[in-house]
């Protein structure tokens, strides 16, 4: 078990040194577990067509390695760790010319608490092909005094199925295949959903109304499905399908509700998803003005999260933008300013995601894990800043044990300004490597940097 755990940590510390072509997508859903636990399912997918395939006899073989680590947020203790390999085989490399995505899930019984999840995927044939995600999960307890709903699982398909313990997608008489990207539209015209409802006996009426409603970014209802049901059981499984192929590209919300026919009390759960239909015109109602912010990820961020991201972007913000951020008051003003900051840097506005922001925040997350010291978060260190601004270097020299010299590193970037280098030195002995010298024209330069590392 110690060896297995070490393998997980090794994978986690070897996060991607360059923007990954495999790109992990993920989603989660929380269900009622046993007496004192929640059952958490985590869905993930990645691009298997971007893996490296090696010729073996009459086929081409590749293999991905996946590791998952869950830590309790309050004390950073590990509560679960897994790692596994997934082989892939094709007979013709022309199959790799189109996007091919692998989707899967794993589940855990966890006590209600706040957890941080790390997922890493890598290519066994090419160490440079890897990607990682990290996110927080807040698990609330499922009580028994009122109607409660699980999270909604967004799916690519749902079919009735006989019980099959070997099928990891089997769930309560259905084969439920998740869509971790949460993207629907021309490539996935139907949105399938799965959820569970609990404590139905607490309803006053013998009948209740179920409502599945899709609203666009400004709250306008675009699809609605209702059904009256009898209160026969304590809990129930709810599955459905909504055709979204005629919706225009944008962010939408699926809300599922149970309404007591007598008291009109409503219990609901919701999940955001994305529609990408490039053949349809953009919805002008949500394309401009404040609606665009409502359609973005910033609409659901807390003020603390907004403030943190504003700090992160200072490395690429102009002086005017930094001054503007400093004068902002209130979450709405901060949200709009940050939204506009990233909109100005979105290089491909056709896609539902801002890839520039995603890559920048991926670098921040990597810096926080890889370069943190006992006194600084990783993004605040010199190595963290250089990694965030310039990306992964092409080559690194590590000098940890030279006679009469304190430890130092040299990073080489071959494609910047005809080739530049950065020299970092651990002058304090606390693994806080300070930038001592660089040949980049906008960075500090000291051709006699070795003098700063002379051992006393």
């Amino acid at each position: 078990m110690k060896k297995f755990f070490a393998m997980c940590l090794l994978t986690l510390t070897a996060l991607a040194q360059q923007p990954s072509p495999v790109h992990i997508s993920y989603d989660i859903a929380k269900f009622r577990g046993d007496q004192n636990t929640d059952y958490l399912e985590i869905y993930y997918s990645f691009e298997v067509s971007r893996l490296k395939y090696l010729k073996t006899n009459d086929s081409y073989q590749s293999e991905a390695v996946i590791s998952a680590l869950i830590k309790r947020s309050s004390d950073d203790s590990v509560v679960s760790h897994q790692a596994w390999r997934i082989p892939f085989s094709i007979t013709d490399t022309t199959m790799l010319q189109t996007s091919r995505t692998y989707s899967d899930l794993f589940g855990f019984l966890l006590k209600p608490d706040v957890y941080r999840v790390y997922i890493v995927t890598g290519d066994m044939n090419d160490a440079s092909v890897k990607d990682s995600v990290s996110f927080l999960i807040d698990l609330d307890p499922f009580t028994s005094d009122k109607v409660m709903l699980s999270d909604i699982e967004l799916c690519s398909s749902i079919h009735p199925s006989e019980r099959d313990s070997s099928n990891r997608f089997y769930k309560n008489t259905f084969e439920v295949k998740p869509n971790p990207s949460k993207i629907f539209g021309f490539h996935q015209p139907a949105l399938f959903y799965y959820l569970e409802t609990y404590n139905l006996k607490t309803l006053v009426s013998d009948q209740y109304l179920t409502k599945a409603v899709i609203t666009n970014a400004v709250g306008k209802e675009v699809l609605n499905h209702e059904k009256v049901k009898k209160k026969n059981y304590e809990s129930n499984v709810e599955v459905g399908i909504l055709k979204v192929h005629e919706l225009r590209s944008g962010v939408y919300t699926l809300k599922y509700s149970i309404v007591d026919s007598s008291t009109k009390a409503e219990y609901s759960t919701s999940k955001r998803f994305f529609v990408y239909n490039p053949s349809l015109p953009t919805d002008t109602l949500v394309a401009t003005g404040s609606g665009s912010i409502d359609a973005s990820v910033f609409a659901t961020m807390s003020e603390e999260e907004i403030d943190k991201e504003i700090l992160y972007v200072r490395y690429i913000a102009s002086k005017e933008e930094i001054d503007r951020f400093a004068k902002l008051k209130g979450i709405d003003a901060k949200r709009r300013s940050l939204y506009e900051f990233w909109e100005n840097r979105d290089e491909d506005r056709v896609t539902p995601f801002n890839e520039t922001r995603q890559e920048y925040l991926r670098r921040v997350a990597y810096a926080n894990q890889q370069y943190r010291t006992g006194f600084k978060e990783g993004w605040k260190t010199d190595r963290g800043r250089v990694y965030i601004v310039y990306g992964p270097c092409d080559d690194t020299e590590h000098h940890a044990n030279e006679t009469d010299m304190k430890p130092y590193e040299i990073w080489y970037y071959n494609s910047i300004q005809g080739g530049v280098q950065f020299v970092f030195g651990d002058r304090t002995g606390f693994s806080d490597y300070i930038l001592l010298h660089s040949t980049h024209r906008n960075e500090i330069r000291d051709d006699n940097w070795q003098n700063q590392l002379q051992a006393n």
Side-chain angles (χ1 to χ4, degrees), residues 42-91:
I42 301 177
Y43 317 106
Y44 69 94
S45 63
F46 59 91
E47 290 275 350
V48 298
S49 53
R50 303 300 183 88
L51 298 174
K52 184 176 181 179
Y53 289 78
L54 301 179
K55 185 81 164 68
T56 57
N57 298 324
D58 296 328
S59 64
Y60 295 86
Q61 306 289 330
S62 184
E63 190 173 35
V65 60
I66 310 294
S67 64
L69 181 67
I70 298 182
K71 292 185 175 183
R72 185 173 288 105
S73 181
S74 59
D75 58 9
D76 212 31
S77 60
V78 176
V79 297
S80 181
H81 43 85
Q82 299 182 16
W84 59 97
R85 293 180 175 183
I86 307 172
F88 299 98
S89 178
I90 58 174
T91 57

Side-chain angles (χ1 to χ4, degrees), residues 248-443:
R248 299 179 180 184
S249 297
V251 182
Y252 294 83
T253 300
L254 169 60
K255 179 180 179 182
Y256 192 92
S257 303
I258 286 180
V259 182
D260 191 317
S261 298
S262 295
T263 66
K264 305 304 179 184
E266 182 173 332
Y267 310 89
S268 61
T269 184
S270 62
K271 178 159 287 188
R272 282 158 52 98
F273 65 96
F274 307 90
V275 171
Y276 180 52
N277 278 325
S279 62
L280 298 178
T282 303
D283 191 343
T284 56
L285 181 63
V286 299
T288 60
S290 62
S292 298
I293 300 177
D294 295 332
S296 71
V297 65
F298 306 104
T300 58
M301 290 173 64
S302 67
E303 187 166 8
E304 181 181 0
E305 292 171 325
I306 294 285
D307 288 340
K308 193 69 172 178
E309 190 162 330
I310 287 175
L311 289 176
Y312 288 156
V313 302
R314 71 184 188 188
Y315 292 147
I316 58 172
S318 66
K319 182 180 183 305
E320 292 73 16
E321 288 171 323
I322 293 175
D323 292 342
R324 192 181 309 124
F325 282 138
K327 298 175 182 177
L328 295 174
K329 302 294 182 182
I331 187 171
D332 290 336
K334 295 176 182 178
R335 180 177 287 136
R336 170 174 287 280
S337 187
L338 189 59
Y339 167 80
E340 292 174 349
F341 174 88
W342 285 118
E343 275 291 288
N344 293 333
R345 290 163 172 80
D346 190 356
E347 297 177 357
D348 187 357
R349 301 195 181 189
V350 175
T351 64
F353 302 104
N354 187 326
E355 288 80 5
T356 304
R357 175 177 179 268
Q358 284 185 325
E359 169 58 17
Y360 188 84
L361 295 182
R362 186 199 68 80
R363 294 182 185 180
V364 170
Y366 178 84
N368 281 338
Q369 178 151 358
Q370 196 74 359
Y371 303 124
R372 65 184 297 180
T373 70
F375 308 99
K376 293 181 184 178
E377 296 176 84
W379 74 275
K380 294 181 179 179
T381 66
D382 283 357
R383 287 186 299 176
R385 179 187 66 82
V386 171
Y387 178 84
I388 291 169
V389 174
Y390 303 109
C393 60
D394 297 299
D395 194 16
T396 306
E397 291 182 13
H398 298 278
H399 300 266
N401 299 300
E402 289 192 4
T403 305
D404 298 327
M405 289 283 285
K406 295 178 180 178
Y408 66 97
E409 295 180 358
I410 304 178
W411 293 9
Y412 296 92
Y413 290 83
N414 300 328
S415 59
I416 298 177
Q417 298 177 6
V420 298
Q421 61 180 262
F422 293 81
V423 180
F424 305 92
D426 182 14
R427 295 189 305 187
T428 64
F430 292 101
S431 297
D432 185 10
Y433 283 73
I434 307 299
L435 179 62
L436 305 177
H437 164 71
S438 176
T439 56
H440 192 291
R441 66 175 65 100
N442 295 328
E443 299 285 350

Side-chain angles (χ1 to χ4, degrees), residues 36 72 169 225 232 245 257 274 371 428 446:
N36 298 313
R72 185 173 288 105
F169 299 120
H225 178 74
N232 293 327
H245 64 286
S257 303
F274 307 90
Y371 303 124
T428 64
D446 180 5

